[in-house]
Amino acid sequence: MKLKDEKITKAIIERYMNKFIDNLDQDVIIAGAGPAGLTTAYYLAKNGFKVSIFERKLSIGGGMWGGGMMFNEIVVGEDGKKILDEFGINSDKYDEGYYTSDSVEAISTICSKAVKAGVKIFNCISVEDVMIDKQGVCGVVINWSSVEIANLHVDPLSIRSKYVVEATGHPLEVLKILEKKVDGNLFTKTGKIMGEKSMNADIGERTVVENTKEIFNNVYVVGMAANAAFGTNRMGPIFGGMLLSGKKLADILIKRLKGEISHNQKKIEGIINVE
Ligand code: 48F
């Protein structure tokens, strides 16, 4: 059989468009395909929920590939190791409470398991805004990362979801948009982004799980973004907290999607100013 170049083109465009159209209305949209966002997505999809991730970069996996300072090994603690085991990722005991894993094996396995569980990942797309109604956030506004990088004046598109997850790591891109554009406070002590504190692995690993929660109506924060939002420490190349944060958030969202926990909706004056 002779291959037709235009048929290859048509197959790609048609399949991508179908995938895209099928994902215009979601249970959960996640901004950022780092370890925390991917872990959240994996557990949601595994439980039958419709979840997609938009990732700015060509490659997914965020900051996990490079381990610490490009030494491509990661460290996890006792609880993090249990999640590595669930994913089927090899790890070696280094000392009591310290396990190491090859970072390439770790993140490529998490990516693969997430996609095979049904997560739809759209790479090369940046979340540049949120969609809002009287109840709070109800989706995201996206554009090709190349449009953003080239600074082209091209209008974006909008995707609806019941919940949006801020998983952009250190830069907190979704929350910065909310802080700037939407009247009403974030659910932090100050009502604002509190800002990440300097390195302390012990505190950072613990608080990243505590800080994994709703931060604005229908917006949840996970992974490094959670500590940056609620003003606690970074933890560096120990990654158990990212996985545990992702799993915790999936559990919360599953309960909420099933109606097992009530909405923590706060009335936000002026969220939309026009009747
Ligand atoms: O930074 P990242 O890996 O976040 P994480 O999952 O994990 C943090 C660790 O890597 C490490 C750490 C803990 O040990 O401190 O830093 O919390 O992944 C965030 C992803 O979000 C993408 C970005 O390219 C990265 O892959 N991203 C950032 N802004 C946007 C975005 C955006 N506006 N739209 C889409 N993707």
Side-chain angles (χ1 to χ4, degrees), residues 32-36 54-57 62-64 125-127 167-170 173 223-224 235-236 238-239 242:
F54 293 99
E55 166 56 51
R56 168 176 291 138
K57 295 199 172 143
M64 205 185 223
I125 293 180
S126 295
V127 174
T168 66
H170 296 273
E173 298 209 4
M224 190 55 228
M235 72 297 289
I238 177 155
F239 279 85
M242 297 300 116

mmCIF file with all atom_site columns, all heavy atoms in Angstrom, residues 32-36 54-57 62-64 125-127 167-170 173 223-224 235-236 238-239 242, ligand 1:
data_model
loop_
_atom_site.group_PDB
_atom_site.id
_atom_site.type_symbol
_atom_site.label_atom_id
_atom_site.label_alt_id
_atom_site.label_comp_id
_atom_site.label_asym_id
_atom_site.label_entity_id
_atom_site.label_seq_id
_atom_site.pdbx_PDB_ins_code
_atom_site.Cartn_x
_atom_site.Cartn_y
_atom_site.Cartn_z
_atom_site.occupancy
_atom_site.B_iso_or_equiv
_atom_site.pdbx_formal_charge
_atom_site.auth_seq_id
_atom_site.auth_comp_id
_atom_site.auth_asym_id
_atom_site.auth_atom_id
_atom_site.pdbx_PDB_model_num
ATOM   1   N N   . GLY A 1 32  ? -1.257 22.530 34.584 1.00 0.00 ? 32  GLY A N   1
ATOM   2   C CA  . GLY A 1 32  ? 0.109  22.112 34.919 1.00 0.00 ? 32  GLY A CA  1
ATOM   3   C C   . GLY A 1 32  ? 0.250  20.602 35.094 1.00 0.00 ? 32  GLY A C   1
ATOM   4   O O   . GLY A 1 32  ? -0.437 20.005 35.922 1.00 0.00 ? 32  GLY A O   1
ATOM   5   N N   . ALA A 1 33  ? 1.131  19.998 34.274 1.00 0.00 ? 33  ALA A N   1
ATOM   6   C CA  . ALA A 1 33  ? 1.344  18.542 34.323 1.00 0.00 ? 33  ALA A CA  1
ATOM   7   C C   . ALA A 1 33  ? 2.645  18.190 35.030 1.00 0.00 ? 33  ALA A C   1
ATOM   8   O O   . ALA A 1 33  ? 3.467  17.439 34.513 1.00 0.00 ? 33  ALA A O   1
ATOM   9   C CB  . ALA A 1 33  ? 1.320  17.946 32.914 1.00 0.00 ? 33  ALA A CB  1
ATOM   10  N N   . GLY A 1 34  ? 2.838  18.740 36.225 1.00 0.00 ? 34  GLY A N   1
ATOM   11  C CA  . GLY A 1 34  ? 3.947  18.308 37.082 1.00 0.00 ? 34  GLY A CA  1
ATOM   12  C C   . GLY A 1 34  ? 3.503  17.070 37.866 1.00 0.00 ? 34  GLY A C   1
ATOM   13  O O   . GLY A 1 34  ? 2.387  16.573 37.668 1.00 0.00 ? 34  GLY A O   1
ATOM   14  N N   . PRO A 1 35  ? 4.360  16.583 38.770 1.00 0.00 ? 35  PRO A N   1
ATOM   15  C CA  . PRO A 1 35  ? 3.993  15.377 39.521 1.00 0.00 ? 35  PRO A CA  1
ATOM   16  C C   . PRO A 1 35  ? 2.699  15.517 40.317 1.00 0.00 ? 35  PRO A C   1
ATOM   17  O O   . PRO A 1 35  ? 1.924  14.554 40.409 1.00 0.00 ? 35  PRO A O   1
ATOM   18  C CB  . PRO A 1 35  ? 5.195  15.145 40.444 1.00 0.00 ? 35  PRO A CB  1
ATOM   19  C CG  . PRO A 1 35  ? 5.994  16.409 40.419 1.00 0.00 ? 35  PRO A CG  1
ATOM   20  C CD  . PRO A 1 35  ? 5.705  17.060 39.109 1.00 0.00 ? 35  PRO A CD  1
ATOM   21  N N   . ALA A 1 36  ? 2.443  16.708 40.873 1.00 0.00 ? 36  ALA A N   1
ATOM   22  C CA  . ALA A 1 36  ? 1.237  16.874 41.692 1.00 0.00 ? 36  ALA A CA  1
ATOM   23  C C   . ALA A 1 36  ? -0.023 16.838 40.819 1.00 0.00 ? 36  ALA A C   1
ATOM   24  O O   . ALA A 1 36  ? -0.987 16.131 41.130 1.00 0.00 ? 36  ALA A O   1
ATOM   25  C CB  . ALA A 1 36  ? 1.315  18.186 42.476 1.00 0.00 ? 36  ALA A CB  1
ATOM   26  N N   . PHE A 1 54  ? -3.939 20.805 31.081 1.00 0.00 ? 54  PHE A N   1
ATOM   27  C CA  . PHE A 1 54  ? -3.293 21.672 30.091 1.00 0.00 ? 54  PHE A CA  1
ATOM   28  C C   . PHE A 1 54  ? -1.890 21.997 30.591 1.00 0.00 ? 54  PHE A C   1
ATOM   29  O O   . PHE A 1 54  ? -1.706 22.405 31.738 1.00 0.00 ? 54  PHE A O   1
ATOM   30  C CB  . PHE A 1 54  ? -4.119 22.946 29.866 1.00 0.00 ? 54  PHE A CB  1
ATOM   31  C CG  . PHE A 1 54  ? -5.427 22.637 29.201 1.00 0.00 ? 54  PHE A CG  1
ATOM   32  C CD1 . PHE A 1 54  ? -6.593 22.541 29.945 1.00 0.00 ? 54  PHE A CD1 1
ATOM   33  C CD2 . PHE A 1 54  ? -5.489 22.387 27.843 1.00 0.00 ? 54  PHE A CD2 1
ATOM   34  C CE1 . PHE A 1 54  ? -7.797 22.199 29.338 1.00 0.00 ? 54  PHE A CE1 1
ATOM   35  C CE2 . PHE A 1 54  ? -6.677 22.047 27.214 1.00 0.00 ? 54  PHE A CE2 1
ATOM   36  C CZ  . PHE A 1 54  ? -7.829 21.957 27.969 1.00 0.00 ? 54  PHE A CZ  1
ATOM   37  N N   . GLU A 1 55  ? -0.914 21.758 29.728 1.00 0.00 ? 55  GLU A N   1
ATOM   38  C CA  . GLU A 1 55  ? 0.498  21.935 30.096 1.00 0.00 ? 55  GLU A CA  1
ATOM   39  C C   . GLU A 1 55  ? 1.170  22.864 29.080 1.00 0.00 ? 55  GLU A C   1
ATOM   40  O O   . GLU A 1 55  ? 1.102  22.635 27.887 1.00 0.00 ? 55  GLU A O   1
ATOM   41  C CB  . GLU A 1 55  ? 1.195  20.569 30.131 1.00 0.00 ? 55  GLU A CB  1
ATOM   42  C CG  . GLU A 1 55  ? 2.721  20.618 30.170 1.00 0.00 ? 55  GLU A CG  1
ATOM   43  C CD  . GLU A 1 55  ? 3.303  21.419 31.325 1.00 0.00 ? 55  GLU A CD  1
ATOM   44  O OE1 . GLU A 1 55  ? 2.916  21.191 32.473 1.00 0.00 ? 55  GLU A OE1 1
ATOM   45  O OE2 . GLU A 1 55  ? 4.149  22.309 31.071 1.00 0.00 ? 55  GLU A OE2 1
ATOM   46  N N   . ARG A 1 56  ? 1.807  23.871 29.613 1.00 0.00 ? 56  ARG A N   1
ATOM   47  C CA  . ARG A 1 56  ? 2.456  24.863 28.743 1.00 0.00 ? 56  ARG A CA  1
ATOM   48  C C   . ARG A 1 56  ? 3.563  24.264 27.870 1.00 0.00 ? 56  ARG A C   1
ATOM   49  O O   . ARG A 1 56  ? 3.700  24.581 26.705 1.00 0.00 ? 56  ARG A O   1
ATOM   50  C CB  . ARG A 1 56  ? 3.049  25.977 29.606 1.00 0.00 ? 56  ARG A CB  1
ATOM   51  C CG  . ARG A 1 56  ? 3.993  26.881 28.820 1.00 0.00 ? 56  ARG A CG  1
ATOM   52  C CD  . ARG A 1 56  ? 4.517  28.030 29.630 1.00 0.00 ? 56  ARG A CD  1
ATOM   53  N NE  . ARG A 1 56  ? 3.460  28.962 29.924 1.00 0.00 ? 56  ARG A NE  1
ATOM   54  C CZ  . ARG A 1 56  ? 3.266  29.558 31.098 1.00 0.00 ? 56  ARG A CZ  1
ATOM   55  N NH1 . ARG A 1 56  ? 4.075  29.302 32.097 1.00 0.00 ? 56  ARG A NH1 1
ATOM   56  N NH2 . ARG A 1 56  ? 2.281  30.410 31.270 1.00 0.00 ? 56  ARG A NH2 1
ATOM   57  N N   . LYS A 1 57  ? 4.335  23.367 28.468 1.00 0.00 ? 57  LYS A N   1
ATOM   58  C CA  . LYS A 1 57  ? 5.533  22.894 27.757 1.00 0.00 ? 57  LYS A CA  1
ATOM   59  C C   . LYS A 1 57  ? 5.208  21.758 26.795 1.00 0.00 ? 57  LYS A C   1
ATOM   60  O O   . LYS A 1 57  ? 4.143  21.154 26.860 1.00 0.00 ? 57  LYS A O   1
ATOM   61  C CB  . LYS A 1 57  ? 6.568  22.431 28.776 1.00 0.00 ? 57  LYS A CB  1
ATOM   62  C CG  . LYS A 1 57  ? 7.051  23.597 29.622 1.00 0.00 ? 57  LYS A CG  1
ATOM   63  C CD  . LYS A 1 57  ? 8.344  23.303 30.305 1.00 0.00 ? 57  LYS A CD  1
ATOM   64  C CE  . LYS A 1 57  ? 8.841  24.580 30.970 1.00 0.00 ? 57  LYS A CE  1
ATOM   65  N NZ  . LYS A 1 57  ? 9.484  24.321 32.235 1.00 0.00 ? 57  LYS A NZ  1
ATOM   66  N N   . GLY A 1 62  ? 6.824  18.371 34.563 1.00 0.00 ? 62  GLY A N   1
ATOM   67  C CA  . GLY A 1 62  ? 7.263  19.485 35.408 1.00 0.00 ? 62  GLY A CA  1
ATOM   68  C C   . GLY A 1 62  ? 8.692  19.329 35.877 1.00 0.00 ? 62  GLY A C   1
ATOM   69  O O   . GLY A 1 62  ? 9.585  18.978 35.099 1.00 0.00 ? 62  GLY A O   1
ATOM   70  N N   . GLY A 1 63  ? 8.905  19.529 37.179 1.00 0.00 ? 63  GLY A N   1
ATOM   71  C CA  . GLY A 1 63  ? 10.258 19.580 37.741 1.00 0.00 ? 63  GLY A CA  1
ATOM   72  C C   . GLY A 1 63  ? 10.788 18.246 38.225 1.00 0.00 ? 63  GLY A C   1
ATOM   73  O O   . GLY A 1 63  ? 11.804 18.218 38.926 1.00 0.00 ? 63  GLY A O   1
ATOM   74  N N   . MET A 1 64  ? 10.118 17.144 37.865 1.00 0.00 ? 64  MET A N   1
ATOM   75  C CA  . MET A 1 64  ? 10.579 15.870 38.435 1.00 0.00 ? 64  MET A CA  1
ATOM   76  C C   . MET A 1 64  ? 11.738 15.253 37.648 1.00 0.00 ? 64  MET A C   1
ATOM   77  O O   . MET A 1 64  ? 12.565 14.530 38.218 1.00 0.00 ? 64  MET A O   1
ATOM   78  C CB  . MET A 1 64  ? 9.440  14.871 38.527 1.00 0.00 ? 64  MET A CB  1
ATOM   79  C CG  . MET A 1 64  ? 9.676  13.825 39.600 1.00 0.00 ? 64  MET A CG  1
ATOM   80  S SD  . MET A 1 64  ? 8.408  12.567 39.619 1.00 0.00 ? 64  MET A SD  1
ATOM   81  C CE  . MET A 1 64  ? 8.100  12.387 41.347 1.00 0.00 ? 64  MET A CE  1
ATOM   82  N N   . ILE A 1 125 ? -0.130 23.970 25.564 1.00 0.00 ? 125 ILE A N   1
ATOM   83  C CA  . ILE A 1 125 ? -1.263 24.892 25.770 1.00 0.00 ? 125 ILE A CA  1
ATOM   84  C C   . ILE A 1 125 ? -1.138 25.496 27.172 1.00 0.00 ? 125 ILE A C   1
ATOM   85  O O   . ILE A 1 125 ? -0.946 24.756 28.152 1.00 0.00 ? 125 ILE A O   1
ATOM   86  C CB  . ILE A 1 125 ? -2.615 24.156 25.627 1.00 0.00 ? 125 ILE A CB  1
ATOM   87  C CG1 . ILE A 1 125 ? -2.802 23.700 24.168 1.00 0.00 ? 125 ILE A CG1 1
ATOM   88  C CG2 . ILE A 1 125 ? -3.772 25.041 26.068 1.00 0.00 ? 125 ILE A CG2 1
ATOM   89  C CD1 . ILE A 1 125 ? -4.104 22.960 23.893 1.00 0.00 ? 125 ILE A CD1 1
ATOM   90  N N   . SER A 1 126 ? -1.254 26.817 27.245 1.00 0.00 ? 126 SER A N   1
ATOM   91  C CA  . SER A 1 126 ? -1.166 27.495 28.548 1.00 0.00 ? 126 SER A CA  1
ATOM   92  C C   . SER A 1 126 ? -2.539 27.940 29.022 1.00 0.00 ? 126 SER A C   1
ATOM   93  O O   . SER A 1 126 ? -3.366 28.380 28.222 1.00 0.00 ? 126 SER A O   1
ATOM   94  C CB  . SER A 1 126 ? -0.285 28.745 28.436 1.00 0.00 ? 126 SER A CB  1
ATOM   95  O OG  . SER A 1 126 ? 1.035  28.378 28.132 1.00 0.00 ? 126 SER A OG  1
ATOM   96  N N   . VAL A 1 127 ? -2.739 27.830 30.326 1.00 0.00 ? 127 VAL A N   1
ATOM   97  C CA  . VAL A 1 127 ? -3.937 28.420 30.930 1.00 0.00 ? 127 VAL A CA  1
ATOM   98  C C   . VAL A 1 127 ? -3.619 29.885 31.150 1.00 0.00 ? 127 VAL A C   1
ATOM   99  O O   . VAL A 1 127 ? -2.669 30.218 31.855 1.00 0.00 ? 127 VAL A O   1
ATOM   100 C CB  . VAL A 1 127 ? -4.275 27.720 32.266 1.00 0.00 ? 127 VAL A CB  1
ATOM   101 C CG1 . VAL A 1 127 ? -5.431 28.421 32.967 1.00 0.00 ? 127 VAL A CG1 1
ATOM   102 C CG2 . VAL A 1 127 ? -4.590 26.244 32.026 1.00 0.00 ? 127 VAL A CG2 1
ATOM   103 N N   . ALA A 1 167 ? -2.110 23.732 39.601 1.00 0.00 ? 167 ALA A N   1
ATOM   104 C CA  . ALA A 1 167 ? -0.970 22.815 39.791 1.00 0.00 ? 167 ALA A CA  1
ATOM   105 C C   . ALA A 1 167 ? 0.233  23.341 39.026 1.00 0.00 ? 167 ALA A C   1
ATOM   106 O O   . ALA A 1 167 ? 1.032  22.569 38.506 1.00 0.00 ? 167 ALA A O   1
ATOM   107 C CB  . ALA A 1 167 ? -1.353 21.417 39.312 1.00 0.00 ? 167 ALA A CB  1
ATOM   108 N N   . THR A 1 168 ? 0.353  24.678 38.969 1.00 0.00 ? 168 THR A N   1
ATOM   109 C CA  . THR A 1 168 ? 1.441  25.250 38.164 1.00 0.00 ? 168 THR A CA  1
ATOM   110 C C   . THR A 1 168 ? 2.748  25.397 38.956 1.00 0.00 ? 168 THR A C   1
ATOM   111 O O   . THR A 1 168 ? 3.704  25.985 38.454 1.00 0.00 ? 168 THR A O   1
ATOM   112 C CB  . THR A 1 168 ? 1.047  26.614 37.538 1.00 0.00 ? 168 THR A CB  1
ATOM   113 O OG1 . THR A 1 168 ? 0.877  27.573 38.586 1.00 0.00 ? 168 THR A OG1 1
ATOM   114 C CG2 . THR A 1 168 ? -0.225 26.519 36.713 1.00 0.00 ? 168 THR A CG2 1
ATOM   115 N N   . GLY A 1 169 ? 2.784  24.876 40.177 1.00 0.00 ? 169 GLY A N   1
ATOM   116 C CA  . GLY A 1 169 ? 4.037  24.884 40.948 1.00 0.00 ? 169 GLY A CA  1
ATOM   117 C C   . GLY A 1 169 ? 4.390  26.268 41.468 1.00 0.00 ? 169 GLY A C   1
ATOM   118 O O   . GLY A 1 169 ? 3.506  27.071 41.790 1.00 0.00 ? 169 GLY A O   1
ATOM   119 N N   . HIS A 1 170 ? 5.684  26.535 41.519 1.00 0.00 ? 170 HIS A N   1
ATOM   120 C CA  . HIS A 1 170 ? 6.172  27.796 42.121 1.00 0.00 ? 170 HIS A CA  1
ATOM   121 C C   . HIS A 1 170 ? 5.487  29.065 41.595 1.00 0.00 ? 170 HIS A C   1
ATOM   122 O O   . HIS A 1 170 ? 5.205  29.966 42.366 1.00 0.00 ? 170 HIS A O   1
ATOM   123 C CB  . HIS A 1 170 ? 7.692  27.921 41.936 1.00 0.00 ? 170 HIS A CB  1
ATOM   124 C CG  . HIS A 1 170 ? 8.471  26.863 42.653 1.00 0.00 ? 170 HIS A CG  1
ATOM   125 N ND1 . HIS A 1 170 ? 8.878  26.984 43.968 1.00 0.00 ? 170 HIS A ND1 1
ATOM   126 C CD2 . HIS A 1 170 ? 8.915  25.649 42.246 1.00 0.00 ? 170 HIS A CD2 1
ATOM   127 C CE1 . HIS A 1 170 ? 9.545  25.899 44.341 1.00 0.00 ? 170 HIS A CE1 1
ATOM   128 N NE2 . HIS A 1 170 ? 9.580  25.065 43.307 1.00 0.00 ? 170 HIS A NE2 1
ATOM   129 N N   . GLU A 1 173 ? 0.307  30.389 38.659 1.00 0.00 ? 173 GLU A N   1
ATOM   130 C CA  . GLU A 1 173 ? -0.227 31.247 37.584 1.00 0.00 ? 173 GLU A CA  1
ATOM   131 C C   . GLU A 1 173 ? -1.740 31.444 37.663 1.00 0.00 ? 173 GLU A C   1
ATOM   132 O O   . GLU A 1 173 ? -2.239 32.534 37.380 1.00 0.00 ? 173 GLU A O   1
ATOM   133 C CB  . GLU A 1 173 ? 0.193  30.687 36.229 1.00 0.00 ? 173 GLU A CB  1
ATOM   134 C CG  . GLU A 1 173 ? 1.693  30.675 36.095 1.00 0.00 ? 173 GLU A CG  1
ATOM   135 C CD  . GLU A 1 173 ? 2.168  30.820 34.675 1.00 0.00 ? 173 GLU A CD  1
ATOM   136 O OE1 . GLU A 1 173 ? 1.353  31.014 33.766 1.00 0.00 ? 173 GLU A OE1 1
ATOM   137 O OE2 . GLU A 1 173 ? 3.398  30.732 34.472 1.00 0.00 ? 173 GLU A OE2 1
ATOM   138 N N   . GLY A 1 223 ? 0.214  20.461 45.310 1.00 0.00 ? 223 GLY A N   1
ATOM   139 C CA  . GLY A 1 223 ? 1.666  20.468 45.063 1.00 0.00 ? 223 GLY A CA  1
ATOM   140 C C   . GLY A 1 223 ? 2.331  21.740 45.554 1.00 0.00 ? 223 GLY A C   1
ATOM   141 O O   . GLY A 1 223 ? 1.850  22.399 46.483 1.00 0.00 ? 223 GLY A O   1
ATOM   142 N N   . MET A 1 224 ? 3.451  22.074 44.937 1.00 0.00 ? 224 MET A N   1
ATOM   143 C CA  . MET A 1 224 ? 4.240  23.225 45.377 1.00 0.00 ? 224 MET A CA  1
ATOM   144 C C   . MET A 1 224 ? 3.394  24.496 45.429 1.00 0.00 ? 224 MET A C   1
ATOM   145 O O   . MET A 1 224 ? 3.604  25.364 46.300 1.00 0.00 ? 224 MET A O   1
ATOM   146 C CB  . MET A 1 224 ? 5.448  23.407 44.433 1.00 0.00 ? 224 MET A CB  1
ATOM   147 C CG  . MET A 1 224 ? 6.454  24.413 44.922 1.00 0.00 ? 224 MET A CG  1
ATOM   148 S SD  . MET A 1 224 ? 7.074  24.052 46.589 1.00 0.00 ? 224 MET A SD  1
ATOM   149 C CE  . MET A 1 224 ? 6.894  25.657 47.363 1.00 0.00 ? 224 MET A CE  1
ATOM   150 N N   . MET A 1 235 ? 10.342 22.622 49.568 1.00 0.00 ? 235 MET A N   1
ATOM   151 C CA  . MET A 1 235 ? 10.985 21.416 50.129 1.00 0.00 ? 235 MET A CA  1
ATOM   152 C C   . MET A 1 235 ? 12.055 20.822 49.226 1.00 0.00 ? 235 MET A C   1
ATOM   153 O O   . MET A 1 235 ? 12.673 19.807 49.582 1.00 0.00 ? 235 MET A O   1
ATOM   154 C CB  . MET A 1 235 ? 9.931  20.357 50.493 1.00 0.00 ? 235 MET A CB  1
ATOM   155 C CG  . MET A 1 235 ? 9.269  19.661 49.325 1.00 0.00 ? 235 MET A CG  1
ATOM   156 S SD  . MET A 1 235 ? 8.318  20.779 48.296 1.00 0.00 ? 235 MET A SD  1
ATOM   157 C CE  . MET A 1 235 ? 6.939  21.173 49.337 1.00 0.00 ? 235 MET A CE  1
ATOM   158 N N   . GLY A 1 236 ? 12.271 21.404 48.058 1.00 0.00 ? 236 GLY A N   1
ATOM   159 C CA  . GLY A 1 236 ? 13.348 20.912 47.202 1.00 0.00 ? 236 GLY A CA  1
ATOM   160 C C   . GLY A 1 236 ? 13.067 19.537 46.620 1.00 0.00 ? 236 GLY A C   1
ATOM   161 O O   . GLY A 1 236 ? 11.915 19.155 46.457 1.00 0.00 ? 236 GLY A O   1
ATOM   162 N N   . ILE A 1 238 ? 12.700 16.553 47.394 1.00 0.00 ? 238 ILE A N   1
ATOM   163 C CA  . ILE A 1 238 ? 12.001 15.430 48.026 1.00 0.00 ? 238 ILE A CA  1
ATOM   164 C C   . ILE A 1 238 ? 10.578 15.491 47.491 1.00 0.00 ? 238 ILE A C   1
ATOM   165 O O   . ILE A 1 238 ? 9.918  16.531 47.577 1.00 0.00 ? 238 ILE A O   1
ATOM   166 C CB  . ILE A 1 238 ? 12.107 15.456 49.567 1.00 0.00 ? 238 ILE A CB  1
ATOM   167 C CG1 . ILE A 1 238 ? 11.300 14.316 50.179 1.00 0.00 ? 238 ILE A CG1 1
ATOM   168 C CG2 . ILE A 1 238 ? 11.717 16.784 50.172 1.00 0.00 ? 238 ILE A CG2 1
ATOM   169 C CD1 . ILE A 1 238 ? 11.783 13.886 51.558 1.00 0.00 ? 238 ILE A CD1 1
ATOM   170 N N   . PHE A 1 239 ? 10.111 14.426 46.863 1.00 0.00 ? 239 PHE A N   1
ATOM   171 C CA  . PHE A 1 239 ? 8.904  14.502 46.049 1.00 0.00 ? 239 PHE A CA  1
ATOM   172 C C   . PHE A 1 239 ? 7.703  13.770 46.632 1.00 0.00 ? 239 PHE A C   1
ATOM   173 O O   . PHE A 1 239 ? 6.633  13.798 46.029 1.00 0.00 ? 239 PHE A O   1
ATOM   174 C CB  . PHE A 1 239 ? 9.191  13.969 44.634 1.00 0.00 ? 239 PHE A CB  1
ATOM   175 C CG  . PHE A 1 239 ? 9.850  14.981 43.748 1.00 0.00 ? 239 PHE A CG  1
ATOM   176 C CD1 . PHE A 1 239 ? 11.225 15.151 43.750 1.00 0.00 ? 239 PHE A CD1 1
ATOM   177 C CD2 . PHE A 1 239 ? 9.083  15.801 42.920 1.00 0.00 ? 239 PHE A CD2 1
ATOM   178 C CE1 . PHE A 1 239 ? 11.834 16.097 42.940 1.00 0.00 ? 239 PHE A CE1 1
ATOM   179 C CE2 . PHE A 1 239 ? 9.689  16.751 42.101 1.00 0.00 ? 239 PHE A CE2 1
ATOM   180 C CZ  . PHE A 1 239 ? 11.063 16.899 42.100 1.00 0.00 ? 239 PHE A CZ  1
ATOM   181 N N   . MET A 1 242 ? 4.556  15.854 46.920 1.00 0.00 ? 242 MET A N   1
ATOM   182 C CA  . MET A 1 242 ? 3.833  16.142 45.675 1.00 0.00 ? 242 MET A CA  1
ATOM   183 C C   . MET A 1 242 ? 2.822  15.025 45.397 1.00 0.00 ? 242 MET A C   1
ATOM   184 O O   . MET A 1 242 ? 1.686  15.272 45.013 1.00 0.00 ? 242 MET A O   1
ATOM   185 C CB  . MET A 1 242 ? 4.794  16.231 44.478 1.00 0.00 ? 242 MET A CB  1
ATOM   186 C CG  . MET A 1 242 ? 5.812  17.346 44.572 1.00 0.00 ? 242 MET A CG  1
ATOM   187 S SD  . MET A 1 242 ? 5.037  18.959 44.694 1.00 0.00 ? 242 MET A SD  1
ATOM   188 C CE  . MET A 1 242 ? 5.567  19.451 46.311 1.00 0.00 ? 242 MET A CE  1
HETATM 189 O O1  . 48F B 2 .   ? 6.683  22.780 38.771 1.00 0.00 ? 1   48F B O1  1
HETATM 190 P P1  . 48F B 2 .   ? 5.949  21.490 38.751 1.00 0.00 ? 1   48F B P1  1
HETATM 191 O O2  . 48F B 2 .   ? 6.739  20.242 38.726 1.00 0.00 ? 1   48F B O2  1
HETATM 192 O O3  . 48F B 2 .   ? 4.904  21.530 39.979 1.00 0.00 ? 1   48F B O3  1
HETATM 193 P P2  . 48F B 2 .   ? 4.482  20.441 41.076 1.00 0.00 ? 1   48F B P2  1
HETATM 194 O O4  . 48F B 2 .   ? 3.760  19.314 40.432 1.00 0.00 ? 1   48F B O4  1
HETATM 195 O O5  . 48F B 2 .   ? 5.889  19.863 41.579 1.00 0.00 ? 1   48F B O5  1
HETATM 196 C C1  . 48F B 2 .   ? 6.866  20.699 42.127 1.00 0.00 ? 1   48F B C1  1
HETATM 197 C C2  . 48F B 2 .   ? 8.224  20.033 41.992 1.00 0.00 ? 1   48F B C2  1
HETATM 198 O O6  . 48F B 2 .   ? 8.526  19.805 40.646 1.00 0.00 ? 1   48F B O6  1
HETATM 199 C C3  . 48F B 2 .   ? 9.365  20.828 42.628 1.00 0.00 ? 1   48F B C3  1
HETATM 200 C C4  . 48F B 2 .   ? 9.263  21.008 44.081 1.00 0.00 ? 1   48F B C4  1
HETATM 201 C C5  . 48F B 2 .   ? 8.847  19.924 44.977 1.00 0.00 ? 1   48F B C5  1
HETATM 202 O O7  . 48F B 2 .   ? 9.774  18.965 45.151 1.00 0.00 ? 1   48F B O7  1
HETATM 203 O O8  . 48F B 2 .   ? 9.510  22.057 44.580 1.00 0.00 ? 1   48F B O8  1
HETATM 204 O O9  . 48F B 2 .   ? 9.412  22.102 42.006 1.00 0.00 ? 1   48F B O9  1
HETATM 205 O O10 . 48F B 2 .   ? 3.828  21.190 42.159 1.00 0.00 ? 1   48F B O10 1
HETATM 206 O O11 . 48F B 2 .   ? 4.973  21.458 37.486 1.00 0.00 ? 1   48F B O11 1
HETATM 207 C C6  . 48F B 2 .   ? 4.176  22.564 37.139 1.00 0.00 ? 1   48F B C6  1
HETATM 208 C C7  . 48F B 2 .   ? 3.852  22.486 35.659 1.00 0.00 ? 1   48F B C7  1
HETATM 209 O O12 . 48F B 2 .   ? 2.948  23.516 35.325 1.00 0.00 ? 1   48F B O12 1
HETATM 210 C C8  . 48F B 2 .   ? 3.278  24.041 34.041 1.00 0.00 ? 1   48F B C8  1
HETATM 211 C C9  . 48F B 2 .   ? 4.788  24.003 34.012 1.00 0.00 ? 1   48F B C9  1
HETATM 212 O O13 . 48F B 2 .   ? 5.285  24.026 32.682 1.00 0.00 ? 1   48F B O13 1
HETATM 213 C C10 . 48F B 2 .   ? 5.070  22.694 34.747 1.00 0.00 ? 1   48F B C10 1
HETATM 214 O O14 . 48F B 2 .   ? 5.188  21.601 33.859 1.00 0.00 ? 1   48F B O14 1
HETATM 215 N N1  . 48F B 2 .   ? 2.672  25.383 33.941 1.00 0.00 ? 1   48F B N1  1
HETATM 216 C C11 . 48F B 2 .   ? 3.066  26.514 34.591 1.00 0.00 ? 1   48F B C11 1
HETATM 217 N N2  . 48F B 2 .   ? 2.235  27.527 34.281 1.00 0.00 ? 1   48F B N2  1
HETATM 218 C C12 . 48F B 2 .   ? 1.302  27.024 33.419 1.00 0.00 ? 1   48F B C12 1
HETATM 219 C C13 . 48F B 2 .   ? 1.584  25.656 33.208 1.00 0.00 ? 1   48F B C13 1
HETATM 220 C C14 . 48F B 2 .   ? 0.172  27.578 32.748 1.00 0.00 ? 1   48F B C14 1
HETATM 221 N N3  . 48F B 2 .   ? -0.191 28.864 32.902 1.00 0.00 ? 1   48F B N3  1
HETATM 222 N N4  . 48F B 2 .   ? -0.555 26.784 31.927 1.00 0.00 ? 1   48F B N4  1
HETATM 223 C C15 . 48F B 2 .   ? -0.217 25.478 31.763 1.00 0.00 ? 1   48F B C15 1
HETATM 224 N N5  . 48F B 2 .   ? 0.850  24.893 32.384 1.00 0.00 ? 1   48F B N5  1
#
